[in-house]
Amino acid sequence: MSHRHHRVLSVASECAPLVKTGGLADVVGALPAALARLGWQSRILMPAYPGILEQVDRSEEAWRDDDLFGGPAVVRSGTCQGLDLLLLDAPHLFDRPGGPYTVDGHDHPDNPVRFAALSWVGAQLAMHGTVDRWRPDLVHVHDWQSGLVPSYLKYAGSEVPTLLTIHNIAFQGLFGPDQLDDLHLPTWDFHPEALEYHGLVSTLKAGMVHASRVTTVSPTYAEELTTPEFGFGLEGVARMRGDRGEMLGILNGIDTRIWDPAADPAVLPYSVENPRAKAENRRALLDEFSLEEPVGPLAVVVTRLTHQKGVDLLLETLPGFIEAGGAVVVLGSGDPAYEHGLGELASRFPRSVGVRIGYDEPLSHRMYAGGDLVLVPSRFEPCGLTQLYGLRYGAVPVVAATGGLRDTVVDATPANLADGTATGFTFGDSRQGGSIDAGGLSFALGRAIDMYADRESWLRLRETAMREPVDWGTSAGRYAELFAELVR
Ligand code: ADP
């Protein structure tokens, strides 16, 4: 075996710090550094959305095509904060107002074409390499947006191994079979064992069928995906890959260079050894939202405002939490009904509830630093990152016991408190007959309020939370093992 690093091409629709709508971006942006220590050199192929090329140093042409699904396209290589990027500059697909997937709350109508094009280019680079002769040993694709890479490689007869990571199975990349031809996909493979999902094409399913291996972002979610409740119709494929030992869960970590309360430029520095300034961050957060000092804990919520995230459960439960002495700051955007409901909550309790509708990265850091609790009542959660930031920053997580939340938070039961393993509060574990509902959340919040009143127990719980290893160490090792197995 040669001594050069192995090479992985990661194909993704978002990557922190360049463009982020959720956890996917954090993962794509953090893995390369963790993998580099294990002998894997990464390059990330992503779209050059507006403003992206300006953030990149030294951009050179790495690939071009005069007609990529209806327009000219150039891939430019460059670096940004240690990341090696390949940016797909295709103005007819990516140079437009709005976010990566939506404009004014609606999907870009040509999303299937846009991300099929990204996947097509990923496959071309995997097979033929870049102008500077960089060719990957393996391609790592993420979610529906790059789900077609394994299919394109297969149809071209390529044997480059592929790994699909599912960050959320609820988004499946659906479009009509009338588009197959335009997207260079063969009609003969449009059937339920391959591209078809109930009369439509699903790019996520295509990836689940064709990738050499499939992972998802926590062990519990990997099990859940094989059930109708969580599989969103893809449980059959999940079960098939799982039964063959070709699908597994690898827990996400967080980038502890960016998420470090002792070195975070957005907050007053503190650490588990010297947590004093945590109280000042709390004070500053209360002031920022003109809130009164609560008797009980200050909870924070940073989230997409969707049904998945249990925002309705929060709306139902928070009045009781506030009446019991709590306060809360919410940052998020999404469903207008939830935005409205949160606005009403803030008007009803102006000195106890702060709400910021929008997306604000520095504020999210100030919130984890200032919060006593971070609330994550998700109905399903592939991994979840906000509870990990909460652990790291000493905002003790209150979470639904599902998916990665269940794998990363240890409930403060008497036994777990006694042996010093408890890191937060969980509710609604279906394995124990529970369900994720307002009653369960309310009970967990009550336990948090009670423990908060017992200063000594509280500080011990918080310290255990802050000491929890949440970096990429272990999990990057598992990806590297899997990669090694695939290129052997
Ligand atoms: P998901 O990917 O399903 O949205 P995760 O918990 O895995 O959920 O990741 C969410 C990420 O997005 C976290 O880094 C969180 O801090 C961030 N985030 C979510 N909403 C906002 C917001 N309104 N402002 C700033 N950051 C946000």
Side-chain angles (χ1 to χ4, degrees):
M1 186 171 286
S2 77
H3 290 291
R4 74 170 174 85
H5 272 42
H6 281 300
R7 295 166 167 178
V8 55
L9 174 66
S10 182
V11 184
S13 55
E14 43 184 290
C15 171
L18 287 155
V19 57
K20 165 169 161 179
T21 73
L24 168 64
D26 288 330
V27 173
V28 172
L31 257 179
L35 285 169
R37 292 192 277 274
L38 303 167
W40 282 87
Q41 183 204 37
S42 305
R43 286 180 101 171
I44 299 165
L45 172 67
M46 60 172 274
Y49 304 110
I52 298 284
L53 286 167
E54 289 74 5
Q55 298 179 57
V56 167
D57 307 323
R58 181 185 62 86
S59 89
E60 279 162 27
E61 187 172 315
W63 182 89
R64 76 156 49 231
D65 184 344
D66 292 335
D67 181 17
L68 175 67
F69 294 13
V74 174
V75 172
R76 300 180 198 282
S77 65
T79 58
C80 173
Q81 300 193 22
L83 296 170
D84 252 316
L85 298 158
L86 294 165
L87 299 167
L88 176 56
D89 187 9
H92 64 299
L93 302 172
F94 301 116
D95 185 13
R96 59 176 73 175
Y101 319 119
T102 61
V103 60
D104 297 332
H106 298 282
D107 283 358
H108 295 293
D110 55 346
N111 273 347
V113 187
R114 298 169 74 227
F115 293 103
L118 175 70
S119 302
W120 172 262
V121 174
Q124 300 309 308
L125 293 175
M127 290 186 289
H128 310 301
T130 59
V131 177
D132 58 342
R133 299 227 194 97
W134 190 90
R135 200 138 60 96
D137 300 297
L138 178 131
V139 190
H140 189 183
V141 305
H142 305 268
D143 279 352
W144 68 268
Q145 296 91 331
S146 49
L148 284 176
V149 176
S151 306
Y152 285 131
L153 286 171
K154 176 175 179 257
Y155 300 137
S158 161
E159 302 208 326
V160 179
T162 51
L163 171 67
L164 165 72
T165 296
I166 301 173
H167 299 261
N168 195 333
I169 207 167
F171 303 104
Q172 307 187 333
L174 301 176
F175 57 86
D178 52 312
Q179 285 187 271
L180 282 166
D181 249 5
D182 288 345
L183 303 185
H184 305 346
L185 292 167
T187 45
W188 58 258
D189 218 14
F190 182 68
H191 56 82
E193 268 73 62
L195 301 175
E196 183 186 350
Y197 177 79
H198 298 291
L200 298 172
V201 180
S202 162
T203 63
L204 182 67
K205 178 173 177 180
M208 290 177 74
V209 172
H210 290 144
S212 317
R213 287 281 198 293
V214 181
T215 62
T216 187
V217 290
S218 72
T220 293
Y221 195 58
E223 274 173 44
E224 289 172 342
L225 285 188
T226 62
T227 69
E229 194 190 344
F230 294 96
F232 285 85
L234 295 179
E235 58 273 11
V237 198
R239 220 174 304 127
M240 176 194 67
R241 299 302 306 254
D243 288 348
R244 294 189 197 152
E246 295 168 345
M247 174 160 151
L248 75 155
I250 302 179
L251 206 55
N252 285 338
I254 62 173
D255 191 333
T256 47
R257 295 165 309 173
I258 294 173
W259 296 93
D260 176 3
D264 183 336
V267 311
L268 298 163
Y270 64 98
S271 63
V272 66
E273 290 79 22
N274 187 1
R276 207 173 25 86
K278 169 99 186 153
E280 291 165 48
N281 284 298
R282 181 177 188 273
R283 182 72 258 160
L285 186 61
L286 289 169
D287 287 347
E288 183 171 352
F289 284 86
S290 306
L291 305 184
E292 261 164 21
E293 173 72 42
V295 184
L298 169 60
V300 298
V301 181
V302 181
T303 189
R304 293 184 288 117
L305 299 174
T306 63
H307 183 73
Q308 176 198 340
K309 300 291 183 177
V311 183
D312 52 324
L313 306 183
L314 289 170
L315 289 171
E316 213 176 317
T317 311
L318 286 173
F321 175 68
I322 287 145
E323 274 150 14
V328 64
V329 174
V330 184
L331 166 64
S333 64
D335 188 329
Y338 294 142
E339 294 183 354
H340 180 76
L342 287 166
E344 290 201 318
L345 189 72
S347 326
R348 185 169 154 205
F349 301 103
R351 310 306 308 274
S352 306
V353 177
V355 173
R356 179 79 51 84
I357 300 300
Y359 191 93
D360 188 333
E361 190 80 23
L363 174 58
S364 75
H365 288 241
R366 296 197 294 282
M367 289 170 66
Y368 298 121
D372 299 307
L373 300 171
V374 61
L375 313 184
V376 198
S378 306
R379 291 196 163 78
F380 66 93
E381 193 57 80
C383 178
L385 293 177
T386 59
Q387 84 281 10
L388 301 180
Y389 300 135
L391 288 168
R392 182 97 169 121
Y393 280 66
V396 171
V398 178
V399 305
T402 184
L405 299 172
R406 180 172 172 273
D407 292 333
T408 54
V409 179
V410 181
D411 192 28
T413 60
N416 293 337
L417 285 166
D419 64 18
T421 54
T423 58
F425 302 88
T426 69
F427 69 94
D429 193 337
S430 60
R431 289 158 189 80
Q432 293 164 15
S435 63
I436 297 166
D437 54 25
L441 173 59
S442 171
F443 188 69
L445 287 172
R447 290 163 59 215
I449 288 180
D450 289 347
M451 179 148 320
Y452 185 78
D454 172 0
R455 201 68 197 149
E456 202 182 312
S457 309
W458 181 260
L459 292 179
R460 197 169 334 115
L461 177 67
R462 192 179 77 182
E463 181 179 334
T464 314
M466 291 182 75
R467 286 193 190 281
E468 192 71 9
V470 288
D471 63 17
W472 271 103
T474 312
S475 295
R478 302 205 51 209
Y479 276 107
E481 275 167 31
L482 186 55
F483 286 3
E485 194 183 318
L486 288 174
V487 299
R488 222 162 6 234

